[in-house]
Amino acid sequence: MAKIISLINEKGGVGKTTSTNLIATCLKHKNFRVLCIDFDPQGHLSFSMGADTRERSTIYDVLKRTIKPQYAIQHTAITDIIPANDLLKSIEREFTNSGNEQLLKNCIKSLSSLYDYILIDSPPELGLISANALVASDIVLIPCLPDGYSLMGAIKVHDTIMRIKRAFNPELAIGGVFLVRYYSRENLSRSVAEVLTDLTEKLDITVLQTKIRHSNVINSATTTKQLDAIGSLPKNNAVLDYQNLVDELFERGVL
């Protein structure tokens, strides 16, 4: 049965989509069967993997039950993915009854035996879409930029995770918070890392030791060029960091 992992932060632009892409790619290079679910109406993960979001079915169609989930899967050069586009935004207004937090979980049950890992890229807004991602997940990972706004986002998402855990998914576990776009020589990065450690100790969240160093090259590879970053940039610092992050998650028993 697949282990289902969501990546989420209340603040946008924290490297969530890139992290989903790279963690999925790392797992695939370890010969695991990996499926990504783009659960952000912006569809950036879909674009980064070269998925077709215009002519092919998306996660919106799966939630609306107009197509079975296995028929929405696209096989890309990076990993398998169920893509998303801006139609997903309408879920917030189309599904207003209680119990709709279970939509995604119920829809992807049939896929669990086909994969080892299912990764969900969640939107920054903490609404019905994010709630569905958390209800469907076993593990949540929280990427965080080394700045104060991202710290605030991590605190807010922690509150949401605890609410979902109490109400719908008591087995949900926080796999850890990790810093992305980290500058080891920058005072702000080091200061935020220290503050993050203090905050997460109070909230009982693990701060992962691996920090993802900043890299413009990796952003270009995963967005503009839609490349398998591990295959195309094996010596890039950020790629090496993501591989170390996945290894750390295995060592901690998160994966």
Side-chain angles (χ1 to χ4, degrees):
M1 301 294 284
K3 182 169 284 190
I4 303 175
I5 304 158
S6 288
L7 281 88
I8 191 168
N9 190 312
E10 193 269 345
K11 184 181 182 298
V14 299
K16 178 175 50 60
T17 297
T18 299
S19 295
T20 306
N21 182 312
L22 265 293
I23 292 172
T25 305
C26 289
L27 290 169
K28 184 178 179 182
H29 275 263
K30 288 180 178 291
N31 296 317
F32 290 108
R33 300 170 299 166
V34 183
L35 171 68
C36 287
I37 296 177
D38 192 345
F39 216 48
D40 187 336
Q42 296 179 96
H44 290 168
L45 183 65
S46 303
F47 180 78
S48 77
M49 293 188 173
D52 181 357
T53 61
R54 294 187 177 184
E55 304 297 327
R56 302 279 299 275
S57 298
T58 67
I59 191 64
Y60 172 79
D61 301 299
V62 174
L63 296 175
K64 294 282 288 184
R65 296 190 179 275
T66 59
I67 189 172
K68 292 183 178 180
Q70 58 265 38
Y71 298 123
I73 297 171
Q74 295 185 35
H75 308 289
T76 78
I78 301 174
T79 67
D80 289 359
I81 184 171
I82 299 179
N85 56 27
D86 59 4
L87 285 174
L88 186 60
K89 290 187 293 188
S90 63
I91 289 296
E92 298 279 353
R93 63 175 182 273
E94 290 183 28
F95 292 89
T96 57
N97 295 330
S98 60
N100 284 327
E101 296 86 357
Q102 310 272 352
L103 286 170
L104 181 62
K105 179 180 180 178
N106 293 334
C107 284
I108 65 174
K109 278 181 180 178
S110 61
L111 302 179
S112 187
S113 63
L114 304 178
Y115 293 95
D116 300 304
Y117 294 97
I118 298 175
L119 277 74
I120 304 172
D121 185 26
S122 307
E125 297 81 11
L126 300 179
L128 179 62
I129 296 176
S130 293
N132 264 266
L134 293 172
V135 171
S137 297
D138 303 304
I139 302 289
V140 58
L141 297 173
I142 306 172
C144 187
L145 292 180
D147 64 39
Y149 295 117
S150 291
L151 288 178
M152 292 171 62
I155 294 169
K156 289 182 180 178
V157 82
H158 174 267
D159 293 340
T160 300
I161 292 166
M162 292 299 101
R163 178 175 61 81
I164 293 296
K165 187 177 175 71
R166 288 191 297 268
F168 303 105
N169 187 1
E171 302 303 316
L172 180 63
I174 300 176
V177 179
F178 62 97
L179 287 171
V180 300
R181 300 178 196 165
Y182 184 80
Y183 293 91
S184 59
R185 297 180 181 178
E186 185 178 79
N187 288 334
L188 177 60
S189 289
R190 294 196 299 270
S191 297
V192 169
E194 292 171 3
V195 173
L196 179 63
T197 299
D198 291 340
L199 282 174
T200 51
E201 284 179 356
K202 294 176 182 177
L203 297 174
D204 194 25
I205 305 175
T206 298
V207 179
L208 299 170
Q209 294 298 310
T210 307
K211 300 174 179 64
I212 311 300
R213 285 168 285 183
H214 181 80
S215 171
N216 289 323
V217 176
I218 197 173
N219 291 334
S220 175
T222 58
T223 56
T224 307
K225 299 178 182 178
Q226 301 169 327
L227 296 174
D228 174 333
I230 292 177
S232 60
L233 300 168
K235 296 182 180 180
N236 176 270
N237 284 337
V239 170
L240 295 172
D241 292 339
Y242 275 110
Q243 291 175 306
N244 289 334
L245 177 69
V246 169
D247 288 341
E248 180 181 352
L249 291 169
F250 274 111
E251 290 170 3
R252 292 179 178 271
V254 175
L255 296 179

